Amino acid sequence: MDLSRLYDIFIQHPTITTDSRNCPSGSIFFALKGASFDGNRFAAKALEQGCAYAVIDDQTFFDAADGRFILVDDCLKALQDLAHEHRKRLGTKVIGITGTNGKTTTKELMAAVLSKKYKVLFTEGNFNNHIGVPKTLLRLNAGHDIAVIEMGANHPGEIATLAAIADPDYGIITNVGKAHLEGFGSFEGVIRTKGELYDHLRRKTNGTVFVQSRNKYLNAMTDGLNVVRYGTADEPQSMVVGKVLGVSPLLHFSWRTDTVPEQPVQTHLIGGYNIDNLLAAVCIGRYFDVSPSDINDALETYVPSNNRSQYEVTAHNKLIIDTYNANPTSMEAALQNFKEMAAEHKMVILGEMRELGLATVEEHQRIAAFLQQAGFEKVWLVGEAFASVEGDFRKFADVEAVKATLAAEQPQGFHILIKGSNGTHLYELPPLL
């Protein structure tokens, strides 16, 4: 079936599902394949469950007598092409966002700010890959003014693919750092892959990017683009300038522009390192004419709830929960912030950093060296990658071993930083602390 015909069907049935266990009445099922599943096998079930149509790419499961089956060459490509066509026909302004650290927090802050003035569609959860991006775009409707589309990657070429689907008019790379080195091959590979967003925008008329002023890697890649900069107080070339006023432990900061006097904002975010994420949201808000008061209200009322930069006070301890992901750049920033935080008793529970490839041993030892001189009262390290690091630390094979020790020792009266790659499951620890 050609794309125009598929699009006509989508307009009549604008709900998309890729899960035969979740088939809203009248929706379209796309039979995607994975390493351990083939959606084609569930197409008939999806129709039984209420889907109006099932898009498949395996002739074996095609029933020519049943007009509800749509046969295509490749279901994933059909989904992506449909999303691109929908985005193109609506003409909604699209902001693409990627980066090593902070992209999800920045995306949510941007959406909160822009929603004060516009109807905004933004990526939910971690729907930032080759399946999540098209599914997000297919939620666009004529009532949306702006879409904020998060783009994730762990291999070269992935941002280029996502940018081709979403075709953003504006872009922001929050930063570049050491993450997914196993897939990217090197830090230079990270820079090139994230820069694919800029490459796409460079081919558009008036492609615009929002860039942190002091980031030498990103600024070096902005030739041929309209650049709007934001940064901290010693960077007067920025459209938006800000500074940290305090971290006790929640971040208090201020921002200003040439026409807006200093605006103090008390956030619910942990860590001075979030200043750049907040300033990015301010910058984009001002670019799109959101009022200063609305920007401040959006940032002051935003409360993280996704295991990123969360602060939680329990009956026994005060927790900094940052367990969604970890890489050397974000780990060092979190530890440095925790070191500078005023607190009498500090405890650190760190999970290993994954997908670092050949750099695994070096990067974990570097974190251990920082911990050795940081002076934290208790340091617990979790996972195989930390097992061989040098230093006087308590080491645990996995989160289950940590949970058993917590049950026995029940630490109290601590500020506790909990951070690690999502696969270490440290998000299971806060209820025990």
Side-chain angles (χ1 to χ4, degrees), residues 74-252:
D74 184 310
C75 282
L76 176 59
K77 187 174 188 306
L79 179 71
Q80 294 172 342
D81 289 348
L82 181 64
H84 177 73
E85 181 70 10
H86 185 53
R87 179 265 181 274
K88 184 171 67 176
R89 293 202 189 190
L90 285 179
T92 311
K93 292 184 177 71
V94 174
I95 305 172
I97 177 169
T98 189
T100 301
N101 302 303
K103 60 181 174 293
T104 298
T105 298
T106 303
K107 169 207 69 184
E108 294 190 354
L109 292 168
M110 286 164 50
V113 167
L114 292 170
S115 294
K116 288 292 187 178
K117 183 172 182 177
Y118 303 98
K119 180 72 179 298
V120 180
L121 175 76
F122 61 97
T123 303
E124 294 182 351
N126 61 348
F127 274 42
N128 63 5
N129 64 6
H130 60 297
I131 298 171
V133 166
K135 288 180 74 173
T136 299
L137 289 168
L138 289 168
R139 290 172 39 228
L140 271 173
N141 62 54
H144 290 114
D145 303 303
I146 298 174
V148 180
I149 304 297
E150 182 180 335
M151 302 176 184
N154 54 24
H155 286 84
E158 290 183 323
I159 297 299
T161 296
L162 298 178
I165 296 168
D167 192 21
D169 308 287
Y170 309 89
I172 176 170
I173 303 173
T174 55
N175 50 50
V176 287
K178 297 177 181 178
H180 304 297
L181 296 181
E182 192 171 27
F184 291 126
S186 64
F187 178 52
E188 290 70 26
V190 176
I191 296 171
R192 284 193 300 272
T193 301
K194 300 302 183 184
E196 290 166 5
L197 177 57
Y198 286 0
D199 294 338
H200 181 89
L201 287 164
R202 197 173 283 112
R203 294 191 289 270
K204 294 179 71 77
T205 302
N206 297 319
T208 299
V209 294
F210 303 91
V211 183
Q212 211 286 343
S213 297
R214 71 173 183 276
N215 192 306
K216 62 181 181 180
Y217 304 110
L218 298 181
N219 279 283
M221 297 191 293
T222 58
D223 287 350
L225 292 164
N226 294 324
V227 183
V228 181
R229 292 184 171 87
Y230 59 91
T232 48
D234 58 346
E235 295 151 358
Q237 74 271 35
S238 302
M239 172 184 166
V240 172
V241 175
K243 62 183 177 182
V244 174
L245 299 178
V247 183
S248 59
L250 300 178
L251 175 58
H252 185 210

Side-chain angles (χ1 to χ4, degrees), residues 297-421:
D297 184 62
L299 300 182
E300 288 180 340
T301 55
Y302 170 76
V303 179
S305 59
N306 49 18
N307 292 321
R308 293 176 171 92
S309 299
Q310 283 181 239
Y311 181 63
E312 181 178 328
V313 178
T314 73
H316 307 293
N317 300 286
K318 297 178 179 178
L319 311 180
I320 298 170
I321 306 168
D322 199 356
T323 59
Y324 186 81
N325 215 336
N327 56 61
T329 306
S330 67
M331 187 74 84
E332 186 173 351
L335 287 170
Q336 183 64 43
N337 181 78
F338 193 53
K339 179 182 176 182
E340 295 171 0
M341 186 182 297
E344 186 175 353
H345 301 290
K346 294 182 183 179
M347 179 178 181
V348 174
I349 305 176
L350 299 184
E352 65 184 355
M353 303 172 289
R354 299 188 173 179
E355 297 184 48
L356 294 179
L358 297 176
T360 296
V361 173
E362 176 188 354
E363 294 298 339
H364 282 81
Q365 184 56 56
R366 193 167 65 84
I367 293 299
F370 181 97
L371 291 167
Q372 195 69 40
Q373 55 82 35
F376 301 132
E377 190 169 333
K378 293 179 182 288
V379 176
W380 293 9
L381 304 179
V382 186
E384 182 180 352
F386 273 126
S388 61
V389 300
E390 299 176 5
D392 183 21
F393 314 115
R394 292 184 70 174
K395 299 175 184 177
F396 300 82
D398 53 34
V399 72
E400 294 303 320
V402 178
K403 287 159 75 172
T405 303
L406 287 176
E409 299 186 8
Q410 299 181 344
Q412 297 186 27
F414 284 90
H415 278 73
I416 304 176
L417 170 65
I418 312 169
K419 184 169 178 64
S421 287

